[in-house]
Every structure is written in structure tokens, then in C-alpha cells.
Amino acid sequence: MNKFIFTVILQLGLFTSLLISAQERQEISFNKEWRFFLGDNPQAKDNSFNDTSWRTLNLPHDWSIEGQFSDKHPATAGGGALPGGTGWYRKTFSLPATAKNKQVEIRFDGIYRLSEVWINGHYLGKRPFGYIGIQYDLTPFLNVGKQNTLAVRVDNSKQPNSRWYSGSGIYRNVWLTITNPVAIDPQESVITTPLITQTSAQVHVNTVINNKTKGNQEVAIRTVVYDATGKTVAQTSSTTAIAAQQASTIQQDIQVSNPILWSDSNPYLYKTVRTISLHGKIIDSYSSNLGIRYFNFDRAKGFSLNGKSMKIRGVCNHHDLGCLGSAFNVRAAERQLQILKAMGCNGIRTSHNPPAPELLDLCDKMGFLVMDEAFDMWKEKKSDFDYSAYFEEWHKRDLEAFVKRDRNHPSVILWSIGNEIWEQQKEESVPIANELISIVKSLDTTRKITMAIPEFSPNYPIMRANLDIIGFNYGIKKLDTILTKYPN
């Protein structure tokens, strides 16, 4: 369905030409042929800047792992004893005249850290958090039929800012998405399975469609569920009117008969395809995996998946790939999970931040139960220059982006709003935790919310927060005290 031709032409540096099809959405890997400079030059944001002397590379990229080990680096041993610094990335590309009436967005899955982005000299924005996906609308600033230049400044100079190896740079994938002005918004669209029996599963499809045209539009949306062999097992259709420059939400319920349930031992995935048509012509389609499963946490009986009691045998998994650095590599991550699976592991905690989206894709396919973690600190710092300096301004946007990105993964069974947060011993921890909990629950009510407390004390104020599940690191020796203090 996504038809495009992607060619790379070298011409006085980098020049990528995209030939755009007339219909539907295209999500194009934008990883190849970037220019990189380790250092700072404010003029690099300008289209006229000459970057021909810069190094050419493909993303994902981690410049820290390329550096020399030294105990003198401010990142310290916790940061791998490797250098940070400031770096620039630039990419020049063109869009043909057929893209004139299209919507064009760029998505960075992860930039560590303090990133700023320009397109054709226009400032698009910044993002301090190094672990969250970042998306910008390029449409108003593009030169259709001519060259365009993306420039990205990455500042990882103030260190230490992490308690583990972070890496530096655009270390996850980059995607260019091209759609018609009327298109599905994947981040706002949700699929859940509110009712599952042995003979049937109700699949609730919530689809948000954006209308970025100047006129009202009436569209038809068709949703089809396919099994793992590609056979259609359920489908439905609806129509909706969308006002100009507005969005519309379409609710659909589909019944899947005799569902095969997703589990750690049988991670069976269906596929849903949503297609929207205007005046009988397909203008967008979006596909996503669907895992049908249900689970429960019970104080007396423990955890159950699809009605069967089971143990979660999990590990804390940091985002880096050892000697490969933090530049994400699907095969390396898959290999990690294969080794863990062979050990009997069936659970992953994303310590202590949002992972690469591809890691969750792998967990969906390989059968891992995921505790998806958002933050390692709130307002109180753990390192001299960490995220605590930006938490107040950015936590809501970052947490919302995190939940919206990951809430359609069947592998995710728990949200964690924090790891060993220093404020837990103070009264201020309760309103902060409750705000974070309310943000998550406003976007997803199908999972429980937890956080990690390093040492158990029944007098910690954080125990009064509205957490669904209390998590204790290193607390097994105090389990009897915990159960006595909290019998219910």
C-alpha cells in the first residue's frame, strides 16, 4: 500500500530526491547520508552553510562510543568514562512538485540530548529529554521542488547528567512521514480489547482523523483485522464528517471469533488495517499489530495472564547495547532478548526511561511482559545536570508522548512513573506522583501504574499516593513488614 521510490543522489554534498506517490501514507526511513560535525557552530542551522567538509554517516549514531575512555571525562565511570560534547547533524533533500499538497512530518525516535531542530533555517523547537520521540511538522517551511536542509544541534556537554551510559547524538531512527491533508493520527488513535471470552474478543478501535484542509470533509473508514496468515477475521466500516482544520474521533467495535490469545509462550499477533476514503478514493491507510490478551494483578493470587497464574521473571534492561554503544540496532536488541528468553526470562523493565519503539515491537513478537518506565528523577537531581532541571516544564509533554507512543503494544502491562525518586521521603512526592498518575490514566486505563521505591519504610509519604501497585527495589527482606503494614 505504501508505494514510493527512494533515491539518493550525491551533489555538492547530500541531495536526497523523493518521488511521491499520489495516494496514501508513506513512512520513509530518513537515516542515510547525514553530515556530522563534532563541535559547535551556530551558523550550521542556515541553508547557506557549507557542510561539505563534514563527515558523512548513517543514523542511528552515537558519537560518545567513538571517543577515548578516560577517568577525566565529566561523565564519570557511570557514563562509560566516555566523552560528551556538542554535535551537529545536517541533511539536504528535495521533494517533487507532487508533494505540494501533502503533509510532511519528521520523527526522531531519540536524540540524546538537549536537541534543537531547524528546517530551511526555521526553528522547529527543542527537547531536553533524551529518551522520548520528537515529531515536527515540516509542511509550512518546505521548498517543494527545491532543496531543503534539516539541521539538528545536540548538546550533551554538561555532565554528569546520567547514572548510566547514555551515549550522544541521534541514536535512534529517524522517519519522514508523508500523508494527504486528511489522514489518520496514529499517536492519538487507540485499540483496546475490553471484553475477551473463550469464544469471542471485542476489539475497540478509536481512530482520530485530522482534516488539515480549508473545507469540511466526509470520509469513510474501514477497519479490517487479519490473522497471522493474512486471512480476514473481522471488519467494519463507518463514515464521519470532519470540519475544516479540525479532527474527528471514530469509535468502532469489532468482534473476533475464537481469538488466539497473546502470551509470553505464544505471542500471537493479529494485524489491524484502517483505511480512509474520500469520494470513494483511498487517501490514507495505517496498519498496526494487535495482541489479544487480558491480565490481572491480585494481592492474594499474584499475577495472571489470560486467566492463568504465572510468575513474571524479569530483568532491568538499560537502553545501551554494551560495547556497541547506544545507537539502536534491531539485531543486537533481538539477540539480547533471545539470550534472556533462553535463560527463562519473560519480563523486561525499561530501566529507567522510554525504550526505542523497536524494542517493544520485539517484545510483542517474542513474548515479553514489559514494565514501561518513564523517569529516573523528578524535581530532585541525582546527577549534577540531569533531567530534574527540565522536569517542571517538560514532564507533562514527555509523559503524554511516552504513553501515546506505547499504549498499543500488547507486551506493555505496567506503567512506571519513576525509579527510586528522591522526593519519596517528602510530602511533595504525593502531589507530584498523583499528577503523573492522572496524566497516564487520562490516556490509558487498561494498565496499572507503579513506581520503584529503593528502601521500604511505612512512613514514606509516597506510600499515600494513588499508585495501583507499590514496587520495592531490594525490599524482599522486609516483605513481612510490608504485608503487616498494608494488609489490604
Side-chain angles (χ1 to χ4, degrees), residues 10-52:
L10 294 182
Q11 177 182 319
L12 298 177
L14 297 180
F15 183 76
T16 302
S17 178
L18 305 176
L19 303 182
I20 309 302
S21 69
Q23 294 182 359
E24 303 184 30
R25 117 181 1 246
Q26 297 140 65
E27 188 162 282
I28 302 164
S29 173
F30 228 47
N31 287 340
K32 293 186 176 181
E33 305 291 343
W34 286 74
R35 295 282 192 183
F36 172 70
F37 171 69
L38 183 56
D40 201 4
N41 189 332
Q43 295 178 337
K45 66 180 182 296
D46 301 325
N47 273 21
S48 59
F49 182 81
N50 187 345
D51 61 13
T52 54

Side-chain angles (χ1 to χ4, degrees), residues 1-3 21-27 102-103 105 177-187 189 207-211 219-223 242 273-287:
M1 287 182 288
N2 294 339
K3 301 175 182 177
S21 69
Q23 294 182 359
E24 303 184 30
R25 117 181 1 246
Q26 297 140 65
E27 188 162 282
K102 301 288 186 177
Q103 291 295 124
E105 294 183 344
T177 302
I178 303 171
T179 66
N180 285 304
V182 179
I184 295 167
D185 187 337
Q187 292 295 306
S189 301
T207 304
V208 175
I209 301 175
N210 291 324
N211 175 15
V219 300
I221 176 168
R222 180 171 179 258
T223 301
I242 314 174
V273 177
R274 284 166 281 183
T275 303
I276 58 174
S277 301
L278 182 66
H279 306 306
K281 181 181 178 181
I282 294 175
I283 57 171
D284 191 27
S285 63
Y286 185 78
S287 64

Side-chain angles (χ1 to χ4, degrees), residues 14 32-37 41-52 54-57 59 87-93 118 120-121 147-153 170:
L14 297 180
K32 293 186 176 181
E33 305 291 343
W34 286 74
R35 295 282 192 183
F36 172 70
F37 171 69
N41 189 332
Q43 295 178 337
K45 66 180 182 296
D46 301 325
N47 273 21
S48 59
F49 182 81
N50 187 345
D51 61 13
T52 54
W54 287 14
R55 172 185 171 191
T56 301
L57 53 75
L59 304 177
W88 281 85
Y89 298 83
R90 285 169 53 91
K91 183 177 175 68
T92 300
F93 64 100
W118 292 260
N120 296 328
Q147 292 191 37
N148 300 273
T149 300
L150 270 168
V152 182
R153 182 179 186 269
I170 307 178

Side-chain angles (χ1 to χ4, degrees), residues 452-483:
I453 300 171
E455 288 292 342
F456 172 75
S457 170
N459 299 317
Y460 280 0
I462 193 64
M463 301 296 289
R464 300 197 304 273
N466 297 325
L467 292 162
D468 299 313
I469 296 175
I470 303 294
F472 298 103
N473 291 354
Y474 326 112
I476 191 67
K477 294 180 180 179
K478 298 181 179 180
L479 185 59
D480 290 341
T481 305
I482 294 170
L483 296 178

